[in-house]
Amino acid sequence: MKTFPAAALGGLSALVGVSARPEYQLLIPNGRANGQATGHFGGPGAFRWSFAAAGYVWTTALCELDTDGDGQSNGLELGDPCCVWSPGAEESSLIGFSTADITLPGDASKMTGRSMPSCVPDPPPPPPAPPPPPSLPVNPPPSPPPPPRAPPPSPPPGVPLGTPARPPSP
């Protein structure tokens, strides 16, 4: 750990310990974009102290905080305006995430040119429309022929075919 006289660090009257930790760069979005300046820049309200207070974890609260008071959240300045990044995340799938125009969240004189995007995911597409009902054909097919007629009844047993029927006796 390096120790610097307080005069070199903004006029504090005690000795202040500063420890360079490159592994912390992996714990914030685009942490390597500005190198150690991300955590070593700024005064007593600087990003580094807020990061330490959050337990060195990128939280939604830390993301939404504006540690340098420039009107831009830490997340917007570090490319995670919707506060969805986590270590090892597939950045291309994150809403609003960018690796361009990254600034220091501890330096009010440095502001990103990006504006705050909508952090609401796009709604899912509507379900497909049901198929239309089948339409009636313009010229319907012909009706089927009527069923065949039943054959005439058979003569009673013992009467030869072709014998005229006798009228009943009075």
Side-chain angles (χ1 to χ4, degrees), residues 80-106:
D80 184 24
C82 298
C83 304
V84 294
W85 181 89
S86 62
E90 177 55 48
E91 296 170 352
S92 64
S93 67
L94 301 178
I95 297 171
F97 193 84
S98 176
T99 56
D101 198 15
I102 305 304
T103 56
L104 294 169

Side-chain angles (χ1 to χ4, degrees), residues 2-168:
K2 296 181 181 178
T3 304
F4 297 96
L9 296 173
L12 299 174
S13 60
L15 293 179
V16 178
V18 177
S19 178
R21 294 299 209 33
E23 64 269 20
Y24 288 166
Q25 295 174 7
L26 300 175
L27 302 178
I28 60 172
N30 293 305
R32 294 191 185 257
N34 295 311
Q36 71 179 19
T38 301
H40 288 260
F41 195 91
F47 176 76
R48 66 174 170 237
W49 303 119
S50 298
F51 185 51
Y56 300 101
V57 176
W58 183 247
T59 64
T60 300
L62 179 61
C63 177
E64 292 173 346
L65 190 64
D66 176 16
T67 54
D68 57 11
D70 63 2
Q72 294 185 333
S73 71
N74 295 333
L76 180 62
E77 291 194 76
L78 289 172
D80 184 24
C82 298
C83 304
V84 294
W85 181 89
S86 62
E90 177 55 48
E91 296 170 352
S92 64
S93 67
L94 301 178
I95 297 171
F97 193 84
S98 176
T99 56
D101 198 15
I102 305 304
T103 56
L104 294 169
D107 182 357
S109 69
K110 306 264 193 275
M111 295 176 63
T112 182
R114 288 179 287 107
S115 58
M116 189 68 184
S118 169
C119 293
V120 178
D122 291 333
S135 61
L136 296 175
V138 177
N139 295 321
S143 300
R149 290 188 177 173
S154 301
V159 176
L161 289 176
T163 306
R166 287 190 222 165

